[in-house]
Amino acid sequence: VTLCPAGGPEEVISRTNARHLYWSFAQMIAHHTVNGCNLNVGDVLATGTISGPETPGRPGVCGSLLELTRNGQQPLELTNGRQRRFLEDGDTVRLRGGASQGNVTVELGDVSGRLIN
């Protein structure tokens, strides 16, 4: 996840990995369908926020700005000296994703949005 504050450079604020999911995709599909919920070809499944394990010296594994700032209690320090507790007008957030196994990597592209009032 990158954040580009209005008038500032884009910077990475979080990196996480699907290996930190509580349930695998196979388990999510089973959970989704076990009670008769239809699942069809082309349906989109999403994980929601993926946060990694918190370990000292390894910040930025939180899946949301709300987690990164401890619900706004601890501001996120950006490299340009600005702080963010929450998104502000003019901020742009970009999410990027990909997958790799062995020497094969697949980039899923990115999606971004700019907060405007």
Side-chain angles (χ1 to χ4, degrees), residues 46-116:
T47 62
T49 301
I50 301 175
S51 297
E54 292 187 42
T55 56
R58 188 169 178 251
V61 295
C62 295
S64 72
L65 188 58
L66 195 62
E67 289 179 3
L68 280 169
T69 64
R70 304 292 188 254
N71 198 25
Q73 300 294 319
Q74 298 173 1
L76 178 66
E77 297 285 336
L78 302 175
T79 56
N80 63 3
R82 292 182 174 176
Q83 294 182 342
R84 283 292 184 277
R85 293 176 188 271
F86 304 98
L87 293 176
E88 295 181 7
D89 192 33
D91 287 350
T92 300
V93 176
R94 175 172 286 129
L95 304 172
R96 293 186 176 111
S100 62
Q101 184 172 3
N103 60 355
V104 177
T105 299
V106 176
E107 294 294 328
L108 302 176
D110 63 46
V111 62
S112 65
R114 183 170 174 238
L115 185 67
I116 55 174

Side-chain angles (χ1 to χ4, degrees), residues 8-9 12-13 15-16 18 20 22 25 27 30-31 34 43-44 48 52 55 68 73 84 88 91 95 103 112 114-115:
V12 175
I13 61 169
R15 287 177 199 224
T16 190
H20 303 304
Y22 184 72
F25 274 96
Q27 290 169 319
H31 179 74
V34 71
D43 285 352
V44 176
T55 56
L68 280 169
Q73 300 294 319
R84 283 292 184 277
E88 295 181 7
D91 287 350
L95 304 172
N103 60 355
S112 65
R114 183 170 174 238
L115 185 67

Side-chain angles (χ1 to χ4, degrees), residues 1-12:
V1 177
T2 62
L3 174 65
C4 182
E10 180 177 280
E11 64 182 273
V12 175

Side-chain angles (χ1 to χ4, degrees), residues 20-33:
H20 303 304
L21 289 171
Y22 184 72
W23 286 352
S24 71
F25 274 96
Q27 290 169 319
M28 285 187 261
I29 290 169
H31 179 74
H32 183 77
T33 60

